Amino acid sequence: AMLIAKQVLTAISFIHDHNIVHRDIKAANVLIAKDGIIKLGDFGVCIRAAASSGDQKERLAGSPYWMAPEVIRREPLRDRKPQDIWSFGIFMFELLTGNPPLHQVDPARAMRTIAKSMPPRMESTGISKDVCDFVNSCLHDDPDKVLFYCVLLCVINSLLNMHIRGHQQKIY
């Protein structure tokens, strides 16, 4: 799971470096080639990373269970990149548990809950605490507190190195 996460996060860093925000990161949009290379697909709702003005309302786009709270609340944003990190965190939740949080409720109710509640938390039941902490670090309801992808990539590399050296139980 962390090898997939690393490749997806690398793809996010690439598009963010090119001033693009994907806005629909989820398992259905992560493609695995025969050679094991991960591709990020479906750029149908992507936008420029920087809003043209600080008071511009966010257009509602993406898949409900993976939408960041600030997108659902349609808050004015200066930087849209944090919404991809939120979606990446929900993608990781989905990858590790089989479903995104709130999958058992209808999309409209899920959106209301995401907009008004504290972020979901991954519990370390069968998954290492370090990986749970990593996923939870992607899920902040304040976009100004979201870690940048470069920091998250460093954390993934550390987790993978610990696993390779045998200092950690299964990390996925």
Side-chain angles (χ1 to χ4, degrees):
M2 295 308 284
L3 292 173
I4 292 170
K6 181 178 178 179
Q7 289 188 56
V8 171
L9 203 50
T10 301
I12 293 169
S13 73
F14 178 83
I15 64 172
H16 284 186
D17 286 347
H18 287 83
N19 204 29
I20 296 169
V21 177
H22 189 278
R23 300 201 311 171
D24 203 19
I25 296 166
K26 59 184 182 179
N29 292 337
V30 174
L31 313 170
I32 304 175
K34 288 181 184 177
D35 60 2
I37 300 297
I38 303 295
K39 306 269 184 184
L40 189 56
D42 191 356
F43 284 79
V45 295
C46 72
I47 55 173
R48 308 249 342 124
S52 58
S53 96
D55 59 1
Q56 186 179 30
K57 282 262 190 197
E58 185 67 29
R59 185 175 70 89
L60 201 59
S63 299
Y65 302 101
W66 294 264
M67 280 185 187
E70 66 271 16
V71 174
I72 295 169
R73 292 189 296 254
R74 301 186 69 179
E75 294 175 357
L77 303 169
R78 287 181 305 280
D79 185 2
R80 295 177 171 132
K81 292 176 184 176
Q83 60 189 272
D84 274 351
I85 301 303
W86 172 279
S87 296
F88 171 76
I90 300 298
F91 158 76
M92 287 300 301
F93 204 108
E94 176 188 21
L95 184 65
L96 293 163
T97 67
N99 293 297
L102 303 171
H103 70 278
Q104 72 279 10
V105 301
D106 68 88
R109 184 171 175 205
M111 289 173 64
R112 285 190 303 273
T113 302
I114 292 165
K116 295 179 181 179
S117 301
M118 295 298 294
R121 290 288 164 239
M122 175 159 278
E123 302 296 325
S124 59
T125 310
I127 300 167
S128 82
K129 182 183 179 320
D130 291 333
V131 171
C132 290
D133 290 346
F134 171 79
V135 172
N136 293 337
S137 73
C138 298
L139 302 173
H140 283 283
D141 57 355
D142 181 349
D144 293 331
K145 294 183 179 175
V146 172
L147 296 175
F148 287 102
Y149 54 83
C150 54
V151 174
L152 294 170
L153 276 168
C154 289
V155 173
I156 286 178
N157 285 330
S158 294
L159 288 170
L160 289 170
N161 287 335
M162 286 172 32
H163 180 67
I164 289 167
R165 284 190 239 121
H167 298 299
Q168 186 76 12
Q169 76 272 16
K170 284 187 178 179
I171 60 169
Y172 45 88

